Amino acid sequence: MLILGIETSCDETAAAVVARDADGRGRILADVVHSQLADHAPFGGVVPEIAARAHVEILDGLIDRAMRDAGVGFSDLSGVAATAGPGLIGGVIVGLMTAKAIADVHALPLVAVNHLEGHALTPRLTDDVAFPYLLLLVSGGHTQFVAVEGLGRYRRLGTTIDDALGEAFDKTAKLLGLPYPGGPQVERLARAGDDARFDLPRPLMRRDSLDFSFSGLKTALRLEAEALQPLDDATVADLCAGFQAAVTDVIRFKAKLALKRFRELTGVAAPTLVTAGGVAANKAVAGALAEAAATVGGRVVVPPGKLCTDNGAMIAWAGVERLAAGLVDGLDARARARWPLDADAAPKLGSGQLGAKA
């Protein structure tokens, strides 16, 4: 099985070709990503109109490059998959409409992929992880624990009630005058800072809840920064260190609780915790998760950095899994700005049944 995957949900334009062998294992034949970072950096964040326009200008050439890198033609494909949401609606429309055109012209099955499902299924491509497992999705738009029980069977155990963690990192960086994207800048400076200088809060850490909140932490940091203006380099580093230490304490506490809940829910004695999203690349966060998993005899799986952030390979692989199960979508599949992964909130699996080419 051979699938073309298209991702345009935010500020990366991506296309990939992924194969599924007879033994069920996946291989990435091509994975091309164009970052729009330079386009959005002057504004300190993603501008939806600029992102959508860039997708229009870039996507066709990117698909052509991915197909050439993979050494395949459209006639070799078993289907085409594209992100249908959630995301910035203008960009989602660009990718989904392009996939519909390819599917229609070449008589290929179309798979409209939930972007979050792409993240959730990535460890099955990279590490052959078996169901069930626990997912911590930590990105600029989402922070949530999800029990991945099977294809299309996702149970959200906890989520952020305000800012996503990646958003909190970026807003903290902007407040401190650091360049966009801010997350890596905060992590870099935190290594040189004193994480004990500022007594920052650990929101919701003492509650028996898997939900997150980062707005209060961000506000506390802003008040500390305003009281010490103008900020010198050492103070900026200490604020970054204090912020990251607070975040990792919360992540460690919540991960321990989530793993215990997951073990009770599934009966899996040694659970696997998968993390995905841009913040998964943060070494302090990764360390906190490893410590949490060790307390319950579990393990942490982190896909390669390139596959933690937005990419076409994860969309192609989600397309592979769904197509292998006979789940396809019609050309009337719609783009969604919001699309929860939870089974109770998401559309029913498979708007149609169609045999796939092997």
Side-chain angles (χ1 to χ4, degrees):
M1 185 181 293
L2 204 62
I3 300 290
L4 168 67
I6 297 170
E7 157 60 21
T8 56
S9 66
C10 193
D11 61 334
E12 278 93 17
T13 313
V17 179
V18 170
R20 180 178 184 265
D21 296 331
D23 62 1
R25 294 178 181 272
R27 290 182 294 119
I28 299 174
L29 303 185
D31 184 20
V32 185
V33 179
H34 175 84
S35 173
Q36 301 174 15
L37 177 60
D39 298 325
H40 301 285
F43 305 98
V46 177
V47 181
E49 293 82 359
I50 292 175
R53 189 180 309 120
H55 291 313
V56 171
E57 295 171 350
I58 294 165
L59 183 56
D60 288 353
L62 212 66
I63 291 171
D64 179 66
R65 179 180 162 191
M67 296 290 283
R68 286 187 286 108
D69 287 353
V72 301
F74 288 109
S75 62
D76 300 312
L77 295 177
S78 308
V80 55
T83 295
L88 301 177
I89 194 63
V92 173
I93 289 172
V94 172
L96 183 58
M97 290 301 293
T98 300
K100 287 181 180 181
I102 293 171
D104 192 32
V105 169
H106 297 282
L108 293 169
L110 171 71
V111 183
V113 174
N114 184 315
H115 177 85
L116 305 183
E117 183 172 50
H119 281 302
L121 297 177
T122 296
R124 291 175 52 76
L125 167 64
T126 59
D127 295 85
D128 197 27
V129 176
F131 296 125
Y133 52 89
L134 178 65
L135 169 70
L136 172 60
L137 179 58
V138 275
S139 67
H142 301 88
T143 302
Q144 55 188 237
F145 284 111
V146 178
V148 181
E149 300 172 324
L151 181 63
R153 295 167 51 208
Y154 309 105
R155 190 181 310 194
R156 187 170 59 184
L157 305 180
T159 190
T160 179
I161 62 176
D162 41 58
D163 291 348
L165 184 52
E167 181 185 8
F169 266 102
D170 285 342
K171 286 182 176 178
T172 293
K174 188 173 184 178
L175 187 152
L176 296 176
L178 303 176
Y180 176 83
Q185 303 297 329
V186 172
E187 181 182 13
R188 178 179 62 82
L189 291 176
R191 289 194 288 266
D194 177 6
D195 63 11
R197 178 177 172 185
F198 298 101
D199 184 20
L200 297 176
R202 273 66 171 161
L204 301 185
M205 197 174 89
R206 299 304 174 191
R207 296 187 184 180
D208 186 27
S209 165
L210 294 178
D211 289 335
F212 295 92
S213 173
F214 298 108
S215 63
L217 170 60
K218 185 182 62 182
T219 299
L221 184 140
R222 176 176 59 80
L223 293 174
E224 294 283 6
E226 289 175 350
L228 294 170
Q229 293 290 338
L231 300 177
D232 56 35
D233 291 346
T235 299
V236 170
D238 292 345
L239 286 167
C240 288
F243 172 82
Q244 184 166 272
V247 164
T248 54
D249 283 350
V250 171
I251 291 291
R252 185 184 300 106
F253 175 82
K254 297 287 186 180
K256 288 179 182 178
L257 183 58
L259 284 162
K260 291 176 182 177
R261 293 263 180 90
F262 179 80
R263 189 165 59 181
E264 294 168 358
L265 181 68
T266 63
V268 175
T272 296
L273 171 59
V274 171
T275 180
V279 185
N282 182 290
K283 297 296 189 295
V285 170
L289 292 173
E291 291 173 18
T295 64
V296 296
R299 64 168 181 149
V300 174
V301 172
V302 183
K306 185 179 180 181
L307 297 182
C308 283
T309 53
D310 294 349
N311 63 89
M314 72 179 191
I315 303 304
W317 179 252
V320 164
E321 295 239 34
R322 291 175 66 84
L323 196 54
L327 304 171
V328 300
D329 296 276
L331 294 179
D332 59 349
R334 65 186 180 91
R336 304 163 182 265
R338 298 184 181 276
W339 190 1
L341 193 57
D342 314 54
D344 292 339
K348 291 182 179 179
L349 275 172
S351 56
Q353 300 286 329
L354 185 66
K357 290 190 293 183

